Amino acid sequence: MHLKYFLLKILSRFGLFLVALSFLLINKSTAENSLTDLSDDLIGPSVRLNSHWFGDKEVSKTLSILVMAGHADSQGLAGSGTSGEAVALKGALPMDSKISDELFWNLRIRDAVARIGKTKGLNIAAYDPGIRNIVDGNHPKTNWSVGARHARSGGYPLEIHFDSYGEHGFGSGLIPAITRNLNKVDESLANRFGRYPLFFRGGLGAPRREIRVLEIGKLEGRLEASLRNINSREDTINAISLEIVKALLIGLSMEEED
Ligand SMILES: [Zn+2]
């Protein structure tokens, strides 16, 4: 009798605990869902450097867009991408111990941009080098080589990046290709995400090969937390990717600005 009462008491406490827990979880996910419309708060500051270029060349609606993940071929080498604030400063474990956190997110955004872009009618494909540590930047499978070939054949190579945290980074924005032929897609991405100077850091390897580099934002704070949190991860990836696709559509005059 005594034991039965005791068990009932435990069960009812546990039941209450479960109710409280589910309430907490529901509240939490509602709060996180509200982060997923891509406010500038979420991606953080955009770059503030003097920049004077303007992309005015018209491009065909069928422009072939090749989206790549920054650092996909340079893991374990110099330039493997930022580890992000969580790992570098806050003691978090990397998302995947074999690659930088930046690449982890670059890959996911790359794939979501290609997937969403196709549903919106873009002529878009994703490229993966297949090998994560190619020492020679000019090896035929690197992003650099494949992107450069894509640009030479009249396409639009776009490499996804997250910028470094804290004082190491500049913020979101498009680092344009070093060319006189910057076009309306470049202009649209810069209008949405921010505008890096034409010769940023004296001209990086990718822009010299006419590959556009899109810094989504600094891998820190709310942006990184929203990506890392399993409850808000997919929504965050999709919201960012949709913004990129929208900017591409505007540049191609396939969608009105809202
Ligand atoms: Zn990067």
Side-chain angles (χ1 to χ4, degrees):
M1 204 58 188
H2 210 84
L3 182 67
K4 208 167 155 189
Y5 174 74
F6 181 67
L7 280 174
L8 268 175
K9 201 169 155 189
I10 295 274
L11 272 175
S12 73
R13 287 224 171 145
F14 190 59
L16 265 181
F17 171 72
L18 279 182
V19 170
L21 184 69
S22 47
F23 188 72
L24 269 175
L25 285 175
I26 289 164
N27 261 354
K28 201 161 172 260
S29 69
T30 321
E32 276 152 4
N33 281 343
S34 64
L35 300 181
T36 56
D37 53 309
L38 189 71
S39 58
D40 293 333
D41 264 8
L42 179 62
I43 60 172
S46 56
V47 57
R48 276 167 211 209
L49 295 170
N50 282 328
S51 168
H52 305 289
W53 59 270
F54 183 70
D56 58 354
K57 295 273 184 297
E58 293 281 351
V59 275
S60 155
K61 289 182 182 10
T62 60
L63 178 70
S64 170
I65 299 164
L66 187 66
V67 58
M68 304 182 289
H71 314 284
D73 49 28
S74 56
Q75 295 305 294
L77 310 167
S80 59
T82 181
S83 55
E85 182 187 42
V87 172
L89 301 183
K90 297 190 168 171
L93 288 173
M95 295 302 299
D96 175 343
S97 59
K98 294 189 288 300
I99 60 176
S100 67
D101 269 28
E102 184 188 342
L103 175 58
F104 184 88
W105 301 120
N106 290 345
L107 291 167
R108 273 148 191 84
I109 301 285
R110 175 199 66 187
D111 292 343
V113 167
R115 175 173 48 78
I116 297 170
K118 279 178 193 155
T119 69
K120 303 277 182 187
L122 292 179
N123 178 13
I124 190 167
Y127 173 69
D128 195 290
I131 307 167
R132 288 281 173 259
N133 53 349
I134 306 177
V135 177
D136 175 10
N138 291 316
H139 181 287
K141 283 192 167 177
T142 60
N143 281 1
W144 278 2
S145 299
V146 172
R149 273 205 301 280
H150 193 73
R152 277 199 302 275
S153 63
Y156 189 87
L158 178 66
E159 199 176 64
I160 302 295
H161 286 254
F162 284 82
D163 203 10
S164 299
Y165 53 90
E167 63 193 17
H168 307 293
F170 292 88
S172 74
L174 182 74
I175 305 173
I178 299 171
T179 168
R180 286 203 193 92
N181 294 316
L182 290 173
N183 61 43
K184 293 197 164 175
V185 173
D186 297 311
E187 189 62 22
S188 178
L189 285 168
N191 283 338
R192 177 61 188 89
F193 288 91
R195 194 179 299 263
Y196 275 83
L198 192 57
F199 287 97
F200 179 59
R201 288 188 164 145
L204 296 168
R208 285 185 181 281
R209 291 168 175 79
E210 293 198 36
I211 299 165
R212 279 69 174 176
V213 169
L214 182 63
E215 298 282 3
I216 289 164
K218 291 161 79 168
L219 194 52
E220 64 181 11
R222 197 175 165 195
L223 174 60
E224 189 180 28
S226 303
L227 287 166
R228 281 185 151 255
N229 187 325
I230 194 75
N231 294 314
S232 51
R233 181 172 306 162
E234 285 312 306
D235 286 346
T236 305
I237 289 169
N238 286 333
I240 291 168
S241 303
L242 182 60
E243 283 303 308
I244 296 170
V245 168
K246 276 196 209 160
L248 294 171
L249 289 165
I250 291 168
L252 295 165
S253 309
M254 288 168 74
E255 194 177 78
E256 294 302 310
E257 255 173 283
D258 53 26

